Every structure is written in C-alpha cells, then in structure tokens.
Amino acid sequence: MHAITITEPGGPEVLEWTEVPDPEPGPGEVVVQVAATAVNRADLLQRQGHYDPPPGTVPYPGLECSGTVAAIGPGVVGWQPGDQVCALLSGGGYAERVVVPAGQLLPVPAGVELATAAALPEVTCTVWSNVFNLAGVRTAAGLRPGETILIHGGAGGIGTMAIQLARAVGARIAVTSGGPEKLAACAELGAEILIDYREQDFVAEVRAATDGWGADVILDLMGAKYLPKNVQVLATGGRLVVIGLQGGVKGELNLGALLAKRASVTATSLRGRPAEEKAEIVTAVRTHVWPLIEDGRVRPVVDRVMPLREAADAHRALEEGGHIGKLLLVTDA
C-alpha cells in the first residue's frame, strides 16, 4: 500500500507519497481500507518534529479516517469486513489502510457520506470529552443548559462542532474568530455572541453580553497567549479547558483571581489517552452525538476535499487559516 510519510522534520514539502508495508490486525484490532482522512493541527506539529506519535503507532500522520473494514483480528466482535466505519486514530490515517483498535471504531452515521464521515471522529471525541460530562473522565467541563460557553477559534473544525453540540444542549454560545465571513458561519451554526479577535476584546464583549457574569466554560486552543484574559472572563465557578497551544506553552496564571472565582483550569489532549479511555469516549460519542447527527441537528462542516497525494497542499491551506470547518483528504482522487 501507499502512505504519506515524513522524510524529515520540516515544511509541507517533506510529506511524500511512499510505498509502505501493509498492516496486519492484532488481537482486538481491525484493518480499515481508508476512504478519507482529515487534516488536524496535530498533523502539522508532527510534520515539524514537535509531536511524535505514541509508542507503537505507525509514523504516518492522520488522527481520524473513514472507510471500509477490510480485516478483523482475533477477539473482535460487532464488526465484519465490509462495514462502513469511521475511526479515532493515534496516527496513520494518511494511508490506504490503517490498523485501529476495535473500541475506536464508529459506524458511519445515517445520512452522512462515507468520505465526509472522516471529518467527525476527532472533533466529536475532543469536544464531547472536554466540554460535556463523561463518566470516568475527570477533565470534562460539564456544560449545562443555560450556561455560557466561549469557544475560541469558532470557525475551525473543533469550533464548528463545539458550537453545534453546545446549541443542542441549550447553552448560550460566544465565539472568537477572524473576520465577518467566519463569524457569519459561526452564527449560522448557532453562535450568538460573535467576536472578531482582530478588532474586539473578548473579555469586554463577553462581559457586556452576559451582564458582567462572564463565561461558565471556555474551550481554548491558544494556550499561553490567552491564559490571563481567559481567567479574567471566567464566571464564578467557571471551567477553562485548554486543548491547544497555538499561542505558546508558558503563561502567567493569576491564582488569586482563580481562587476568588472558585474556578478551574484544565489542560488535556486526546491522542495520548489510554486505549481504554479512548474507547469509553467513543462509546459516549456514539450514544450521545450520533443521534444528533442522524436527525440533522449536528452536521460535519467540510471546507474542501483534496486528494491524499496532495497532503502538502492541504497542510499549507491549514497553515494559511482561511478555511471554515475541516479539510479532508481522499484516497481515490
């Protein structure tokens, strides 16, 4: 088979379409014939040499895919060759085939095309495990109906899914994004408080829109750059969840302000979680999110679809930041 390999750490030009060994399923594993994968910022970091895959994971990028079950390993129940699935991966999605622990498989939701389903696993699992209650996973913020959530990067893959799921539970949604086109897309999905981070101060805007209360939950991709202001805008009892470090890794935290608000800050990632915990998250997503997708209340947001061989161009597009939603790579184009 072929996969996109990283010849050395560097820019998009180091991504190369290469012949690699075919994968074989081990106990509890499934081989998926990949129809499509999605481009995530973690893939860019891995390409740059800043985010190695977990031990035992193939070195190709790709944290999610959709496709058809091609083979099953010993002990796998509930899946058969020919099943159409999408999957949460630790890596390896930029390939024609990938091995997946059976617990990280999801059926393609009714009404969603096979390739489009590749846009779902990473964002649904990330948002659900961080924003909503999940038994056994202590990092969830437990967003409740009527609360206000501030979503940074509202027009991205994570943001567009977070808006829709927050709307589905009856929360009030504030977003930051860059420019009127992206903010209009966020509004169409259900965001009510629209903040252009290039022109507006999100602390002032959220406080004004909530009569000074602030945000009960913040989902943050920026890390250090936004840390002081995120703490400022947290409501009493607020929960800040940091899931990205686009704005740096070290920031100043005002513990006095945090203590006075009885608030909390959590930093978490999905890729490095144990397989058992990922399986628990996938099960919760299938139970709580898949029905919302199948009845049309939540949908995958895809900006464009490109051939897998053109992964370098897709990385450039993600780095430029003009997209809304997800960028997909398909194997048959």
Side-chain angles (χ1 to χ4, degrees), residues 6-29:
I6 300 170
T7 58
E8 61 182 355
E13 69 278 358
V14 305
L15 299 177
E16 186 174 281
W17 182 248
T18 308
E19 189 169 355
V20 298
D22 287 334
E24 296 291 338
E29 295 180 334

Side-chain angles (χ1 to χ4, degrees), residues 56 68 74 106 117 122 146 150 160 166 190 205 210 219 241 249 253 256 259 270-272 274 280 300 321:
T68 304
L106 288 154
E122 177 73 12
L150 170 60
T160 52
E205 295 298 326
T210 59
L219 186 63
V241 182
V249 300
L253 177 62
L259 187 149
L270 181 60
R271 188 181 196 182
E280 183 181 4

Side-chain angles (χ1 to χ4, degrees), residues 28 79 88-90 100-106 125 128-129 134-135 137 270-271 273-287:
W79 304 102
L88 180 69
L89 309 173
S90 297
V100 187
Q104 291 168 218
L105 287 177
L106 288 154
C125 289
W128 191 263
S129 64
L134 181 61
V137 181
L270 181 60
R271 188 181 196 182
R273 291 179 189 254
E276 297 80 8
E277 198 166 300
K278 289 181 183 177
E280 183 181 4
I281 293 169
V282 166
T283 298
V285 164
R286 184 171 181 177
T287 300

